[in-house]
Amino acid sequence: QVQLVESGGGLVQAGGSLRLSCAASGRTFSSYAMGWFRQAPGKEREFVAGISRSGTSTFYADSLKGRFTISRDNAKNTVYLQMNSLEVEDTAVYYCAATEPNFVWLVLTRDPEYDYWGQGTQVTVSA
């Protein structure tokens, strides 16, 4: 089992940047594929970005390509989400998630595919 704690959220003006971090504890971090999801008020939780166990494969929601970057540091047991050119529509609670796929290159993109979730961190983008 793994425990996930997100940090780095906050209030930022449109056009600004934030970097979210998700620290994992428990079992070997490199065993987990990781993902970021977000949930805006009144909306369902949606996939943002995913990264494979090895970090060599990534995948993004189409609407976010070019603005967000997911990365991981297996030595620090941490996954990151760099968010640039933030828009008011990016306002949401951002969640980190983990799962243990068999293949080191696999990236998961669907909510039910993830077994472990953090508590979330609020990101608010003002106009």
Side-chain angles (χ1 to χ4, degrees):
Q1 194 166 354
V2 63
Q3 292 77 45
L4 305 172
V5 178
E6 301 97 335
S7 61
L11 175 65
V12 63
Q13 285 190 329
S17 298
L18 281 175
R19 187 176 82 155
L20 305 183
S21 299
C22 173
S25 61
R27 292 186 56 188
T28 305
F29 183 61
S30 59
S31 299
Y32 297 93
M34 303 297 295
W36 285 98
F37 290 76
R38 69 184 183 183
Q39 187 167 22
K43 295 186 178 181
E44 293 187 353
R45 189 159 59 188
E46 64 175 357
F47 171 78
V48 173
I51 190 166
S52 61
R53 288 170 50 187
S54 63
T56 56
S57 300
T58 58
F59 193 83
Y60 298 89
D62 284 343
S63 61
L64 302 175
K65 283 182 181 177
R67 295 195 299 122
F68 288 16
T69 303
I70 188 171
S71 62
R72 66 189 295 162
D73 186 338
N74 285 348
K76 294 184 178 180
N77 293 352
T78 302
V79 63
Y80 304 97
L81 184 68
Q82 178 67 44
M83 305 186 294
N84 298 328
S85 301
L86 282 162
E87 303 170 354
V88 173
E89 293 73 24
D90 295 319
T91 295
V93 177
Y94 283 72
Y95 296 92
C96 172
T99 190
E100 292 184 89
N102 290 328
F103 302 105
V104 297
W105 46 263
L106 191 62
V107 180
L108 292 309
T109 63
R110 298 189 305 120
D111 193 305
E113 294 175 320
Y114 285 86
D115 298 312
Y116 306 102
W117 293 83
Q119 293 299 308
T121 185
Q122 176 70 47
V123 171
T124 302
V125 184
S126 62

